[in-house]
Amino acid sequence: MSSSQGRRGSLPGAGRSGDGVLARVSSSISNSPVVYRGRRAASDAATVAKKLLWSTGRAAWIAGTTFLVLVVPLIIEMDREQQMNELEMQQASLLGAPPPSSVVGAVPSKRSICPLSAAVSR
Amino acid sequence: MGSSVSHAGAPPPSPAAAPTPPIPVGLAAALPPNPEVQGDAKGVSEKVDWLNLPCPVAFEEIQREALMSLKPELFEGLRFDFTKGINQTFALSHSVFMGSMEVPSQSSDIIKVPTAHYEFGANFLDPKMMLIGRILTDGRLNARVKCDLTDNLTLKINAQLTNEPHFSQGMFNFDYKGQDFRSQFQIGNNAFYGANYIQSVSPRLSLGSEVFWLGHQRKSGIGFAARYNTDKMVTTGQVASTGIVALSYVQKVSEKVSLASEFMYNHMTRDVTSSFGYDYILRQCRLRGKLDSNGVVAAFLEERLNMGVNLLLSAEVRRIDHSKKDYKFGFGMTVGE
């Protein structure tokens, strides 16, 4: 304690003799410009942080609701469309219908031509 | 811009009035009017046959593609529409609506009043003649007639009758369709006279103008419009002496997707609005979304559940700081054709 008092005692404006040691220390701390400035800075920072948090929250809310209204239905519907396309493809392959523009379609035609050309050559 | 704005505001072929299902209507209307004609004109030769230009789109429908994507019929509450065809040409429709209606008020906050009504309608559709009538339980009557007098001349009558005095409206339109132009003459009640003319100046560009005179209010106006369309995009611009500038651009990204944007400036109220929207036409549904510079986000989904059964979902969220705030959600069903 004595060491701290000695340190504080060296500060200007803290050397009143009538008060107790603790009171003198606390008043000197609370009156010092550094603490005042620090407290102000802290309160400013808190306000700014609060405002920032609030505005980010608001922005997030707006972005989120906009997303919910504009994009979520789109995603769901496109997914459904894709599922339906896949289902159709599966059904088509199960039923054995020749898929358009593939090698399977070309092969029978080639075969059908081959005997004809063979017959012609004979 | 009394007449032009009212034209622009009202979607010309009202989907509610037509008994066909909304998805095919949208599909047919969302496509450019005659892409194959333009494709042929381009494909056959680069030289333009200036005496054989295609017929332009009607003046009041100049922005129809943009309106299709950006102005879906958003509603709040429950809607149920049922259409029953009696025979090939005649159909009856029943429609129930329950929800809240906005009441116009002087203050900035919105007043909503719960309302419910039933609407009975009859449609007679014939290639030469179209008669549509609607009557509501609160006494409003709506009648539309479209009649082809000759091959080129069409008469349209629109009437709205209410039991409140001075709110009834009537309008006669005579449309003349030429080879590469269209003209229209309008007579309405309250001594409204209007005329417009639109001409194709190249295979893709058409220019039009309109004049109108409101006899009772002693107002008159003149407007000009231009429309440029290819098979992938449509651009329109409209200026009127009432101080309104409207520009729109629609890009067809693919067979299923089109994107639309619109810019609107009102010189009288110094109001600027721009909006952006998408329009997805998939096999089972049609989805339209819109984002507005006023902070309005809206989406409208028409989902086909079954043959002739469509589910409608509508959402509109309006958020502007310190003024109008409004959330509107609605769901509905349309049954039959």
Side-chain angles (χ1 to χ4, degrees), chain B:
Chain B
M1 194 179 186
S3 102
S4 297
V5 156
S6 65
H7 289 156
S14 161
T20 41
I23 293 168
V25 164
L27 233 174
L31 298 171
N34 40 12
E36 65 281 340
V37 170
Q38 291 161 358
D40 283 352
K42 202 175 75 178
V44 167
S45 65
E46 282 298 308
K47 227 185 277 176
V48 177
D49 187 1
W50 295 104
L51 294 174
N52 213 347
L53 294 170
C55 189
V57 176
F59 189 87
E60 52 192 9
E61 293 179 17
I62 202 168
Q63 291 190 324
R64 61 180 181 189
E65 284 89 3
L67 291 173
M68 274 290 164
S69 310
L70 294 170
K71 305 251 160 58
E73 280 190 22
L74 298 164
F75 60 97
E76 181 175 18
L78 167 83
R79 228 170 93 170
F80 186 82
D81 298 300
F82 178 70
T83 311
K84 177 93 178 81
I86 305 287
N87 58 35
Q88 283 285 328
T89 53
F90 191 67
L92 293 177
S93 77
H94 309 268
S95 154
V96 174
F97 173 78
M98 293 164 100
S100 42
M101 284 273 204
E102 268 176 49
V103 176
S105 64
Q106 296 297 319
S107 63
S108 64
D109 49 331
I110 296 162
I111 301 169
K112 285 187 180 176
V113 174
T115 48
H117 60 240
Y118 165 74
E119 188 187 272
F120 175 74
N123 305 333
F124 176 81
L125 296 165
D126 194 69
K128 286 255 168 204
M129 180 96 148
M130 193 173 92
L131 301 169
I132 292 169
R134 293 274 180 280
I135 186 154
L136 277 81
T137 39
D138 56 3
R140 275 184 288 168
L141 178 81
N142 218 316
R144 291 149 62 98
V145 178
K146 191 183 168 203
C147 174
D148 292 346
L149 297 175
T150 66
D151 277 352
N152 287 336
L153 188 67
T154 306
L155 167 67
K156 281 191 230 166
I157 305 171
N158 240 311
Q160 281 182 322
L161 306 176
T162 56
N163 42 17
E164 300 159 58
H166 310 298
F167 277 95
S168 300
Q169 287 181 350
M171 176 89 93
F172 287 81
N173 292 0
F174 294 92
D175 292 26
Y176 185 80
K177 179 183 166 224
Q179 201 191 13
D180 58 355
F181 70 90
R182 277 174 199 262
S183 59
Q184 187 181 49
F185 182 64
Q186 303 170 311
I187 306 175
N189 65 335
N190 297 331
F192 171 80
Y193 298 97
N196 59 53
Y197 178 83
I198 185 160
Q199 166 85 47
S200 289
V201 290
S202 85
R204 286 171 176 175
L205 183 68
S206 47
L207 300 174
S209 81
E210 67 164 350
V211 283
F212 65 90
W213 189 62
L214 280 159
H216 280 198
Q217 299 170 36
R218 306 225 162 249
K219 271 186 193 163
S220 65
I222 183 165
F224 297 96
R227 177 187 162 102
Y228 181 84
N229 62 334
T230 66
D231 39 355
K232 281 280 172 206
M233 56 81 101
V234 181
T235 315
T236 66
Q238 219 167 346
V239 184
S241 62
T242 42
I244 287 179
V245 179
L247 309 172
S248 79
Y249 177 77
V250 180
Q251 171 84 39
K252 218 172 136 215
V253 178
S254 74
E255 205 53 40
K256 295 171 179 173
V257 190
S258 57
L259 301 175
S261 63
E262 189 194 38
F263 173 84
M264 185 91 133
Y265 171 60
N266 191 336
H267 189 74
M268 294 293 160
T269 56
R270 306 263 161 183
D271 222 19
V272 184
T273 318
S274 62
S275 46
F276 169 80
Y278 65 77
D279 189 351
Y280 261 75
I281 300 170
L282 303 175
R283 254 187 301 175
Q284 289 283 315
C285 78
R286 179 170 192 202
L287 179 62
R288 281 174 276 185
K290 188 185 85 168
L291 186 64
D292 198 313
S293 65
N294 288 338
V296 181
V297 180
F300 190 72
L301 171 70
E302 293 156 281
E303 172 105 24
R304 200 168 78 192
L305 298 178
N306 210 330
M307 271 303 286
V309 182
N310 292 316
L311 174 73
L312 310 176
L313 291 175
S314 153
E316 187 180 6
V317 177
R318 180 187 296 264
R319 296 163 305 208
I320 320 168
D321 298 33
H322 60 259
S323 73
K324 292 195 175 186
K325 220 175 201 187
D326 192 14
Y327 307 118
K328 282 185 188 176
F329 293 95
F331 71 101
M333 264 208 180
T334 51
V335 180
E337 278 93 292

Side-chain angles (χ1 to χ4, degrees), chain A residues 58 61-63 65-66 69-71 73-75 77-78 80-81 84-85 88, chain B residues 256 278 280 282-285 287 289-291 297-299 301 303 317 319 321:
Chain A
R58 203 178 137 72
W61 165 251
I62 287 176
T65 47
T66 304
V69 168
L70 277 185
V71 185
L74 191 62
I75 293 172
E77 288 302 340
M78 284 171 83
R80 257 175 69 99
E81 178 89 353
M84 214 148 57
N85 278 344
E88 213 161 70
Chain B
K256 295 171 179 173
Y278 65 77
Y280 261 75
L282 303 175
R283 254 187 301 175
Q284 289 283 315
C285 78
L287 179 62
K290 188 185 85 168
L291 186 64
V297 180
L301 171 70
E303 172 105 24
V317 177
R319 296 163 305 208
D321 298 33

